[in-house]
Amino acid sequence: MNESAQTVQSAEMFRPPINRAMRTLDRSFFQKELNLASARVLDKKKIASCQKDLSGDILKLERLQPIRLAPATVNADCGAMCLLLRPEVRVDDESTWSSRLHDLVKAQQVLIAPYRLQLNYDYWNYHDIMSAILPESEQDEIPVGFSVVGHVAHLNLRDHYLPYKTLIASVLMDKNPKIRTVINKIDEVGEENEFRTFRYEVLAGPDDMTVEVREQDCLFRFDYSKVYWNTRLSTEHSRLVSKFRPGEAVCDVMAGVGPFALPAAKKRVWIWANDLNPESHKSLLENSKRNKVTEFVRPSCEDGHTFIRTSTSRLLKPSRQLTIHPKLSRSARTTSTQLSPPEILQEPKTFSHYILNLPATATTFLPNFIGLYTGHEHLFHPNTEIKLPMIHVYCFSTKSDDNKAEEAKICREVSVQLGYGIGKVGEEEMQVWDVRDVAPQKRMFCASFRLPRDVAFREKDSRA
């Protein structure tokens, strides 16, 4: 047998037993006993050096510790240790021993002895077990993609895996200790209502959808069945928040439970956070308190079209002011240390950023920016140092290798909605960020551009 064939045969040895007729998980079925060779180390103090010397002979498998308590024999010391050897090494065939193994045996540092390795359900991972249960025709696409939101694993199983859904959920929960509930989505996001929630079925564990999630040093607590949350957007949340500067005002039009708003507020950014879903609004209020950022967050629960204009108008009026007193260290409290003067934070009169994170329809909210600052030209450059705000609008489009066609399509859509040509160059250049793939032919993007003067100051009843 050549080396390649031996490697394949060895890999087969450690796979779990197969039962493709199983429909209810039977953990006790997954048992296996393997007859291996071991190197019994005669001096416990030399276990580390022997392991190093025999690095090419030792059994190397994930989740399997090669150093074991040696099986008890009449002549062996109780508590002796041994090293498990590769399946190719045989006790009764010295031709399978390496030269270094021969040397250690001759030097009476190790003794080659048989070892019965017991494997059970706990050893194999999720993919191993499912490979042994699912039909061979389904082996190419074993369900491995799922979202974890707190203690809940969220699956979106294809139809041909539904007969195995209980099995999949049970194994998934076994192999991921932090997961206590497994659900499967049974409709498309937004099919039931405009709040982007979804219908689901519980496959394993209790129907407990109140979860806690940590992101960007913030703790979020919410009922996952009543609000929208996407763990796969954590990188995007962080990317956009990094663009906000302390002291700026940001308008989050579809804020959800606050994945943009709360981390920004922790940076001392003034956040006007809105969501049409009353449950999201409720969670945003609670999470603002939980993360001690209520002074920087102004929550609303109204239609986003209206909110763009009302929040902009309200911000123009006399704004909030915070006095931040310096914190004293314990040592400073016991001395006559001179206190630094308190910091006065003044909320600006204009927003630096608007966030529109409703990819399916966000571009249709853009007409609300037409004439948004008509009559307030004096607040902006060149009359002051203040620039017009950045707009960050999320949308879906098709997929391509370089996204060029998609960028052009998004530019055209934004231009149509604003009644103004947004380009790819100059002061009004649009940056299109590839956020993530959401389907085989569907991708999520974020289009960021500075609100053009011709749009911001246009008479509200006209278009360019």
Side-chain angles (χ1 to χ4, degrees):
M1 184 181 299
N2 60 38
E3 184 176 344
S4 177
Q6 285 182 330
T7 301
V8 172
Q9 186 180 51
S10 297
E12 289 288 342
M13 286 179 59
F14 296 97
R15 290 176 182 165
I18 293 173
N19 185 345
R20 306 205 186 281
M22 187 179 292
R23 291 298 178 270
T24 301
L25 182 61
D26 179 5
R27 297 171 181 83
S28 65
F29 173 80
F30 296 98
Q31 307 278 341
K32 204 167 195 179
E33 182 177 279
L34 301 175
N35 293 315
L36 300 175
S38 68
R40 186 191 299 269
V41 181
L42 302 179
D43 184 351
K44 292 181 183 179
K45 296 179 181 179
K46 294 185 177 181
I47 186 74
S49 62
C50 288
Q51 183 180 15
K52 182 179 180 181
D53 290 339
L54 296 175
S55 61
D57 300 276
I58 290 175
L59 179 64
K60 296 175 183 176
L61 289 176
E62 291 183 16
R63 310 182 304 280
L64 193 66
Q65 173 58 256
I67 302 176
R68 298 294 179 104
L69 188 66
T73 63
V74 176
N75 299 321
D77 293 335
C78 181
M81 304 302 291
C82 70
L83 297 167
L84 298 186
L85 303 178
R86 296 182 298 109
E88 293 82 8
V89 180
R90 296 171 54 185
V91 176
D92 57 355
D93 186 355
E94 293 188 17
S95 68
T96 63
W97 302 2
S98 69
S99 59
R100 188 54 185 153
L101 185 56
H102 273 287
D103 293 342
L104 291 180
V105 170
K106 288 180 181 179
Q108 297 186 346
Q109 292 189 35
V110 302
L111 176 68
I112 306 303
Y115 188 98
R116 290 185 178 180
L117 177 64
Q118 303 283 341
L119 299 179
N120 59 26
Y121 177 80
D122 292 337
Y123 166 71
W124 290 290
N125 63 24
Y126 166 80
H127 193 276
D128 294 333
I129 298 295
M130 295 314 303
S131 296
I133 295 175
L134 293 176
E136 289 187 83
S137 60
E138 307 292 355
Q139 294 293 308
D140 290 340
E141 297 183 355
I142 292 176
V144 293
F146 58 92
S147 298
V148 176
V149 182
H151 65 271
V152 176
H154 176 187
L155 296 169
N156 187 11
L157 294 175
R158 297 182 180 180
D159 289 345
H160 52 280
Y161 286 116
L162 292 179
Y164 314 96
K165 62 186 181 183
T166 303
L167 273 173
I168 291 170
S170 297
V171 177
L172 187 64
M173 197 158 67
D174 284 346
K175 301 305 178 180
N176 295 272
K178 293 183 179 179
I179 293 174
R180 301 197 305 273
T181 299
V182 181
I183 64 171
N184 182 47
K185 184 174 71 171
I186 54 178
D187 64 13
E188 293 298 323
V189 171
E191 179 181 305
E192 282 294 295
N193 55 63
E194 58 189 322
F195 299 151
R196 292 189 287 177
T197 55
F198 57 90
R199 291 185 299 121
Y200 66 92
E201 59 179 335
V202 177
L203 303 183
D207 188 1
D208 175 15
M209 299 292 277
T210 300
V211 300
E212 288 190 353
V213 179
R214 286 195 174 274
E215 188 176 293
Q216 294 189 75
D217 198 32
C218 290
L219 176 62
F220 298 87
R221 194 170 195 268
F222 51 86
D223 186 334
Y224 185 41
S225 68
K226 297 178 179 179
V227 304
Y228 176 78
W229 180 273
N230 192 330
T231 302
R232 294 188 174 100
L233 291 175
S234 60
T235 300
E236 177 61 14
H237 296 153
S238 179
R239 181 191 73 86
L240 196 59
V241 170
S242 70
K243 296 182 178 297
F244 307 153
R245 298 292 174 259
E248 291 183 335
V250 173
C251 181
D252 192 351
V253 184
M254 304 94 174
V257 299
F260 290 115
L262 300 191
K266 280 207 167 186
K267 295 175 59 174
R268 296 185 177 181
V269 173
W270 303 91
I271 290 289
W272 291 56
N274 174 71
D275 202 273
L276 186 61
N277 183 350
E279 287 293 331
S280 295
H281 176 69
K282 175 185 172 183
S283 297
L284 178 62
L285 285 169
E286 294 172 349
N287 287 319
S288 296
K289 295 175 183 177
R290 184 171 289 112
N291 291 278
K292 300 179 180 179
V293 292
T294 53
E295 293 175 312
F296 287 95
V297 180
R298 182 172 289 188
S300 295
C301 183
E302 59 184 275
D303 177 77
H305 293 279
T306 304
F307 182 71
I308 291 171
R309 293 196 173 275
T310 57
S311 60
T312 301
S313 177
R314 280 181 285 170
L315 187 60
L316 288 169
K317 298 174 182 178
S319 53
R320 293 174 289 177
Q321 181 175 289
L322 285 181
T323 301
I324 309 295
H325 295 279
K327 293 182 179 180
L328 283 176
S329 64
R330 289 185 178 180
S331 59
R333 293 172 191 168
T334 60
T335 64
S336 57
T337 304
Q338 183 69 34
L339 290 178
S340 300
E343 183 180 0
I344 307 298
L345 300 179
Q346 182 72 45
E347 186 176 28
K349 290 184 176 294
T350 60
F351 288 115
S352 296
H353 300 267
Y354 288 82
I355 309 170
L356 288 80
N357 183 21
L358 190 63
T361 60
T363 57
T364 64
F365 287 72
L366 292 176
N368 295 288
F369 290 94
I370 298 172
L372 189 63
Y373 283 108
T374 298
H376 299 286
E377 291 85 347
H378 63 281
L379 295 176
F380 299 97
H381 183 80
N383 303 301
T384 70
E385 295 299 318
I386 300 173
K387 293 183 177 181
L388 282 160
M390 291 294 297
I391 313 298
H392 308 281
V393 56
Y394 288 84
C395 57
F396 294 128
S397 190
T398 52
K399 290 173 58 175
S400 65
D401 292 337
D402 60 8
N403 290 330
K404 295 299 183 184
E406 288 72 22
E407 290 177 2
K409 188 186 302 182
I410 293 168
C411 278
R412 288 195 299 270
E413 172 63 15
V414 170
S415 298
V416 167
Q417 294 294 340
L418 293 176
Y420 180 86
I422 297 290
K424 292 292 293 176
V425 295
E427 176 67 20
E428 294 159 1
E429 176 184 0
M430 175 186 290
Q431 299 290 336
V432 179
W433 183 261
D434 181 348
V435 177
R436 59 181 289 263
D437 289 353
V438 295
Q441 298 301 321
K442 190 176 183 180
R443 185 168 283 164
M444 179 178 176
F445 294 90
C446 176
S448 296
F449 60 94
R450 193 169 300 282
L451 182 62
R453 293 179 61 83
D454 285 356
V455 175
F457 304 135
R458 186 189 309 164
E459 290 298 324
K460 298 175 185 178
D461 293 331
S462 64
R463 290 217 173 184

